[in-house]
Amino acid sequence: MKPTFESYLASVFGDDLASFLGHGTLGEFIRVNPHRTTIEAVETVLGAYGFETQRVEGVSQALRLLRMPYDPTLCLHHFAGWYVKQSLSSQLPVHFLDPRPGENIIDLCAAPGSKTTQIATAMGHKGCLYANDLAGKRMTPLAARLDATHVSHAVLYNRAAERLTHILPPIFDRVLADVPCSGLGNVMALPENRSRYERAKNPSAMSHLQYRILLTGCRLLRVGGRLVYSTCSLDPHENEAVIQEVVSRLPFRLLEPPDVAGLCLREGLTSWQGETYDASLARCRRVRPWENDTQGFFVAVLEKTDELMPRLRHHDPEANRIQTLGINAPEVAAILENIERYYGVEPEVFAPFRFLVTPRAIHCLDQHWDSVIEGYQRAGTCLAKKRGGIWRMSHTMIQRMGKNIRRNMIWLNDAQMAEICATGEIDVDTLPESPYPVLCYEPLGCLANTYDLGNRRICWKRAYHYHCLPGQMTAGIAPHDGYRKRDI
């Protein structure tokens, strides 16, 4: 008979159960994108928005939000890719993965994308980043986060992680397996955890799935490569017991992660409920929420020391590859000429990219992608989509290529920016010839495409979701109801 949920909690936490149930509210954190701005600039901007921030000593781009008047994702600078909202413990797996520019890296369970964008930033936006997730509805927020961070070297797959070996070869320098878990590291998620536990016919099924995903990562990793396994759970069944299966059966060794200033990282368990694990599991790390201002987490860093045994060895799939194109390919050159006509961006600016072209869209990728394995959902980032006879640039590429855009631009002052954020529309002095003028605003530069409504009026629907800086609101213009619903 399955134990009650209370008995399950007691078995997981033991003498620490009261500490887990009674600890205070968890802190809120963001991670700064150094390829867009500096941590000093974000501190200044958020201070103007009314936030109070504090740096995290051991994680260079992390800021703790001590005071938060509303969700930081509603600031215009978040849309411009200056930072990502992400818990502190969630930043540790990639911190320990230590991605490098030019490498082949895969995130097996990538959505909604916080860790994927963290990997991309650490890679310097150079190399081949594979981002996979099974849940189709989570692919949209994953792509949106990659776009907001200006990532063009990621290819997205929508597959069960344990089946990726059918299409991908063992070429990866680093693998992140941040696997689905019970979430038993966040006391606020206990009602959901209880419901999931009581519905489950076999509570141990989660650890079986986690092991299969981890085994996939082991098969995709090259010898000498690094794999990080992580969960936001403190249940040893999902953590040490899974790692024990790998180190006891496969040619992998656990690495000792570095200490992180300001965080109390506990060693992994070497025994639990009568089970004894390999002594090396002490090199795993546990983040306990009652000792840290963040949710509970488990992280293990593994290195592949030899090829797998023949029955587990990966057999290279007969994958079809799609060749990417350079700027001189006729179909690419024609599109870039159109973009130059309407935006003034010289085609040579795109020389570092490779391209994939469809009848209605063109995507650009990092130059490391000379080909892409079939079966992907999205490759790189969208450069432009065809609208009538115009190739309309995406918001992401407008921001990224802002310094090279010389036509079709409308610059707004503070009062105008406040009005468009409050109403979604604004009157301007003049309109360019294109029906999709580029909205520009200092200090963010080129922000997004807008719609020409005629009579010198433009519309940017998405602006309606964002706050302006205090002091930029003009007389008679108040935040709309959407803001009031989102205010905290």
Side-chain angles (χ1 to χ4, degrees), residues 89-90 93 115 177-185 206 210 228-240 242 285-287 295-300:
S89 54
S90 174
K115 298 179 184 66
D178 183 58
V179 299
C181 68
S182 66
L184 203 61
M206 180 68 75
Q210 292 162 338
V228 169
Y229 174 89
S230 61
T231 73
C232 55
S233 170
L234 295 175
D235 185 350
H237 280 126
E238 303 178 65
N239 298 325
E240 285 88 352
V242 175
R285 290 294 179 264
R286 289 174 151 259
V287 180
Q295 66 179 333
F297 237 81
F298 174 87
V299 186

Side-chain angles (χ1 to χ4, degrees), residues 44-61:
T44 300
V45 165
L46 289 182
Y49 276 117
F51 291 77
E52 183 180 350
T53 62
Q54 180 185 65
R55 297 192 188 188
V56 179
E57 182 182 356
V59 185
S60 60
Q61 302 301 329

Side-chain angles (χ1 to χ4, degrees), residues 17 22 28 94 142 162 172 178 219 238 259 272 325 375 378 391 394 404 432 440 453 459 482:
L17 180 58
E28 297 280 356
V94 177
L142 170 60
E162 59 270 34
F172 294 96
D178 183 58
R219 297 172 70 183
E238 303 178 65
D259 291 333
W272 184 69
L325 305 171
R378 196 187 83 162
W391 282 88
S394 67
N404 303 103
C440 306
L453 299 178
C459 169

Side-chain angles (χ1 to χ4, degrees), residues 16 30 79 112 184 224 230 264 277 316 324 329 348 350 352 357 368 467:
D16 293 321
I30 62 170
F79 170 75
L184 203 61
S230 61
C264 177
Y277 303 135
D316 289 348
T324 58
E348 292 73 19
F350 297 100
V357 180
H368 289 80
H467 284 260

Side-chain angles (χ1 to χ4, degrees), residues 129-240:
L129 174 58
Y130 295 69
N132 176 75
D133 204 89
L134 172 61
K137 65 181 180 180
R138 288 160 58 91
M139 298 303 290
T140 298
L142 170 60
R145 291 200 179 189
L146 290 170
D147 286 343
T149 317
H150 299 182
V151 175
S152 59
H153 65 294
V155 171
L156 278 57
Y157 290 86
N158 180 206
R159 293 174 177 264
E162 59 270 34
R163 298 185 64 83
L164 286 173
T165 52
H166 295 294
I167 63 168
L168 299 179
I171 58 172
F172 294 96
D173 302 290
R174 299 175 199 268
V175 173
L176 176 62
D178 183 58
V179 299
C181 68
S182 66
L184 203 61
N186 185 354
V187 70
M188 300 302 294
L190 276 183
E192 181 183 349
N193 291 334
R194 175 189 293 274
S195 176
R196 185 188 300 114
Y197 179 85
E198 291 176 348
R199 291 196 314 266
K201 294 181 180 180
N202 179 15
S204 64
M206 180 68 75
S207 62
H208 297 327
L209 171 63
Q210 292 162 338
Y211 176 72
R212 293 197 305 272
I213 294 175
L214 178 55
L215 180 59
T216 295
C218 294
R219 297 172 70 183
L220 292 175
L221 192 68
R222 66 167 178 81
V223 175
R226 175 177 293 194
L227 186 154
V228 169
Y229 174 89
S230 61
T231 73
C232 55
S233 170
L234 295 175
D235 185 350
H237 280 126
E238 303 178 65
N239 298 325
E240 285 88 352

Side-chain angles (χ1 to χ4, degrees), residues 73-95:
T73 62
L74 298 178
C75 299
L76 194 59
H77 292 70
H78 178 266
F79 170 75
W82 281 34
Y83 58 85
V84 175
K85 186 179 178 182
Q86 185 179 5
S87 73
L88 184 59
S89 54
S90 174
Q91 299 180 41
L92 294 181
V94 177
H95 182 72

